[in-house]
Amino acid sequence: LNNLSVVLQMTGDYQGAKPIYDETIAIRRRRVSEASDPGDESWSELATSLSNLASLHERLGAFDDARALYVEALDIRRASSLVDDSPEADNRLATTLNGLAGLLQAMGELSLARAHQTEALEVWRGFLGDEPHRQMAIGLSNLAGILRYEGDVVASRLRYEQSIQQWRALYGDDHPSLGLTQQNLAMLLSMQGDASAATPLLEDSIRIMRGELGDDHPDVAAALTNLGSLYARQGDLKAAHELLE
C-alpha cells in the first residue's frame, strides 16, 4: 500500500494517495502497538509512512498537518537511533530532520529550520565523514537557503560554496544540481551587489541548464534574463541588450 501511495504522489494524484497513506499508517500503528522495541522494523516503517504523508500535506499547503506528522516521525527516528546506531538508522534520522527543516522554512520559522537542518548535517557527517556525498551537498545547499532568508549572507555564501565543491567532486562540471546551486549562489552575490562574482557562476549555470533542458526552456529564459541584468549593472549594455531583446 505504501508503495502505491508513493507512486500516486509522484504522479501528482495527491487525493488518490492520501487515503492509501492513511490506511497504511493505521495498519503500521497497530503493528507498532505490538512491538515495544523502537528498534523494531515496524517503527521505522511507520515513520516512513508518516514522513511521506507529511510531504503530501506540504505539497497541498496543509503545513500544520504536515508539521505534526513530521514531528511524530522525528520522535520515532530519535527513539530508534537510541537502540540502533547503524548508518541506515542515522540516515533515516537525518532525512527526517531535513524534511522538517524544509517545511519550517516554508512556514517562515527560520530559526527552528536552521537548527534542524544543522542537526541533519551533523548526523550525516557523523557517519559519512568528510568525503563528498550527495546528501551532504543537498543539506549544505538547504542550509544556505535558510541562512539566506535569515539575512546571514556570509554564512549562506560559505554553505553554497561548500555544496558546490561537493557536487563538483561527485559528478564533475555538468551536473544539474551543480548548476542549480551555482545559480542560487549567483543570486545571493547579486543581492549583495557583487555582480562581477555572480556573473561567471550564472554563465556556467546557464551552460549546464542548456545542456540539460535545451535553449527554449522557461528556466533557461529566466536565467538569461537575470544574466542580462548582471551585464547591465556592470556596464556591458551591448551584451545585456543581446540577452534581453
Side-chain angles (χ1 to χ4, degrees):
L1 284 175
N2 188 70
N3 290 340
L4 175 58
S5 53
V6 170
V7 170
L8 290 171
Q9 181 175 347
M10 291 175 62
T11 58
D13 187 359
Y14 301 144
Q15 298 304 325
K18 186 180 181 305
I20 300 175
Y21 274 134
D22 289 336
E23 184 178 354
T24 301
I25 288 171
I27 293 170
R28 290 182 169 175
R29 284 193 193 282
R30 289 194 293 270
R31 290 177 181 169
V32 164
S33 69
E34 300 169 358
S36 59
D37 179 7
D40 189 90
E41 185 63 24
S42 62
W43 285 61
S44 179
E45 291 173 348
L46 173 58
T48 297
S49 293
L50 291 167
S51 292
N52 288 341
L53 182 56
S55 174
L56 185 148
H57 277 298
E58 184 177 357
R59 288 180 177 275
L60 293 173
F63 288 169
D64 288 337
D65 291 336
R67 181 176 187 166
L69 290 161
Y70 269 132
V71 168
E72 184 179 358
L74 181 58
D75 287 343
I76 294 172
R77 297 300 190 200
R78 290 196 190 282
S80 297
S81 69
L82 294 176
V83 297
D84 182 357
D85 60 357
S86 68
E88 292 77 15
D90 285 343
N91 184 49
R92 289 190 289 263
L93 171 60
T95 300
T96 306
L97 284 162
N98 183 76
L100 179 54
L103 172 67
L104 291 168
Q105 180 181 354
M107 296 176 74
E109 297 193 29
L110 298 179
S111 178
L112 193 55
R114 172 168 40 82
H116 282 80
Q117 191 65 62
T118 300
E119 184 182 357
L121 282 166
E122 291 172 350
V123 174
W124 272 322
R125 188 175 286 112
F127 71 90
L128 293 173
D130 295 327
E131 292 299 313
H133 198 281
R134 180 176 181 274
Q135 285 147 308
M136 287 296 297
I138 293 171
L140 286 164
S141 183
N142 289 345
L143 180 57
I146 295 168
L147 292 165
R148 172 182 172 183
Y149 282 109
E150 284 190 304
D152 191 345
V153 294
V154 174
S156 178
R157 177 175 182 169
L158 175 62
R159 297 298 181 267
Y160 275 135
E161 289 171 345
Q162 291 172 338
S163 179
I164 286 169
Q165 291 172 357
Q166 295 254 341
W167 286 123
R168 185 168 280 121
L170 286 166
Y171 301 117
D173 294 331
D174 300 312
H175 195 273
S177 294
L178 171 63
L180 177 60
T181 309
Q182 288 187 147
Q183 183 173 198
N184 287 336
L185 176 55
M187 292 300 97
L188 175 69
L189 294 170
S190 177
M191 289 169 54
Q192 289 183 274
D194 194 350
S196 62
T199 298
L201 285 166
L202 189 54
E203 288 173 337
D204 195 50
S205 175
I206 290 170
R207 175 190 64 79
I208 295 170
M209 292 169 65
R210 278 177 157 159
E212 179 73 14
L213 303 172
D215 291 338
D216 298 325
H217 194 277
D219 290 348
V220 175
L224 286 169
T225 299
N226 291 332
L227 181 59
S229 298
L230 286 176
Y231 285 153
R233 286 165 56 185
Q234 295 174 86
D236 192 345
L237 300 181
K238 179 180 179 181
H241 179 72
E242 290 174 351
L243 287 177
L244 298 174
E245 66 179 358

